[in-house]
Amino acid sequence: KPYLNWCLGDRAVLCVRIKNIAVAVTKAARLHLFQAQEWQKLQNGIQDHSCTEMFSKAQLTMTVNLTEQNLTVSQIPYPETWYVFYVDKFTCEENYSESEDIQFEMVLLNPDAEGNPLDHFSAGESGLHEFFFLLVLAYFITACIYAQSLWQTIKKRGPMHTVLKVLTIALLLQAGSAFANYLHFSSYSKDGIGAPFMGSLAELCDIVSQIQMLYLLLSLCMGWTIGRMKKSHGRPLQWDSTPTSTGIAVVVVVTQSFLLIWEQFEDTNHHSYHSHHGLASGLLIGLRVCLALSLAAGLYQIITVERSTLKREFYITFAKACILWFLCHPCLATIAVIFREYQREKIITIGVILCQCISMVILYRLFLSHSLYWEVSSLSSVTLPLTVSSGHKNRHHF
């Protein structure tokens, strides 16, 4: 197996430091670098190659005979993944006696903005540090503007208290995931190691947030769909939970939770959206597509029989938010296939986070909207949060 793989760009540098150089020289130690596509061709080719023949086809070879030496990987038209192998004169021998190990340190660096090889990020990770910084900054500014009014609304315990509480918890978990990712990447930019605990914490926060949102959207949609079959005058803004809707929501949530945890074990790299990394990811994408289609079908039944234009607009907007939340990942994973491999993770990660943020904004505006809330709900205006008296109609609301 390759000792290390890295997405290298032009003028990338491989730095190797050896502690016991005498042993390395005696064993004729060297490093062989293969482009990912070429190595896969050798492994999957019809012709069988011997161990020696395979390593002889390396694109770059570096003899390890100095305490510290560098290898510059140049003339690369675009960034691509390279496999780095440690090889010595005993590697291809079937039977050999154990000898003294060679202790060495290997550092792979990509050029920074000024072209100097100082960047610990691979080409597939470059830009994510800046993105999470801007995302955390956006969350902070938004919290400063809207946190107090939202907290006051939740404290009033209006008819949408449960929905707003669950939605806010999911939003806080998303913000926590972004902050943990920022800390991880900040540490990684300095030492190339990062903070694995923060990376794991970011993934955990994202998983719990996904579960929260799934339960919220399913409970609302299934509750309304089933509730309209039994009641002719339902209140569309209530969390209209029934034993059936709750049971369906719990089954789907447990299924998604299992797939998300399985996905983490299947791919241990610290990123939340594993678009093309195994069976669990494929099943998870399939589940999200099925959920989007089922929710769209359920809401379509409500919209077609609804006579009120305002209520119909309410359900249509809610359907758009649901579909955006569930389909953004499958759609972006499909679109990313046309891009190069090193670009896919960035496209999916940034795209999914932005789409889900937009979906949350739509839901907040929907459930806090003065016009929809005022006219659609059949409850008394006294119990409604963010409502105004006739003498204060010029007041702005979130």
Side-chain angles (χ1 to χ4, degrees), residues 142-156 164 168 364 368 385-386 395-398:
T142 304
C144 291
I145 298 173
Y146 297 113
Q148 185 177 1
S149 60
L150 180 61
W151 173 247
Q152 291 175 351
T153 302
I154 294 175
K155 282 178 65 178
K156 290 180 181 178
L164 292 176
T168 301
Y364 267 117
L368 293 174
L386 294 186
R395 185 177 175 182
H396 296 285
H397 302 280
F398 175 63

Side-chain angles (χ1 to χ4, degrees), residues 247-369:
I248 295 173
V250 168
V251 170
V252 178
V253 164
V254 170
T255 303
Q256 177 174 274
S257 302
F258 171 75
L259 291 176
L260 286 169
I261 295 172
W262 180 12
E263 187 181 52
Q264 299 304 316
F265 283 102
E266 197 172 53
D267 184 3
T268 56
N269 291 328
H270 290 297
H271 48 87
S272 299
Y273 302 99
H274 311 252
S275 60
H276 52 282
H277 297 281
L279 179 60
S281 300
L283 292 175
L284 193 57
I285 288 177
L287 176 63
R288 286 169 175 158
V289 172
C290 293
L291 286 172
L293 294 176
S294 62
L295 291 179
L299 290 168
Y300 177 76
Q301 294 177 2
I302 298 176
I303 294 168
T304 52
V305 299
E306 183 58 65
R307 296 182 179 180
S308 169
T309 302
L310 197 59
K311 290 182 180 180
R312 192 161 51 246
E313 290 179 357
F314 175 88
Y315 289 124
I316 291 174
T317 306
F318 180 79
K320 291 178 180 178
C322 289
I323 293 172
L324 178 61
W325 180 272
F326 288 117
L327 286 188
C328 61
H329 187 196
C331 290
L332 286 167
T334 303
I335 294 171
V337 174
I338 66 177
F339 293 89
R340 299 192 183 278
E341 186 176 358
Y342 75 94
Q343 297 172 320
R344 293 173 187 171
E345 182 179 344
K346 291 187 288 188
I347 292 172
I348 295 171
T349 300
I350 295 174
V352 169
I353 290 175
L354 292 179
C355 288
Q356 291 187 345
C357 286
I358 293 172
S359 178
M360 283 186 167
V361 170
I362 293 174
L363 291 173
Y364 267 117
R365 290 179 62 84
L366 186 66
F367 291 118
L368 293 174
S369 171

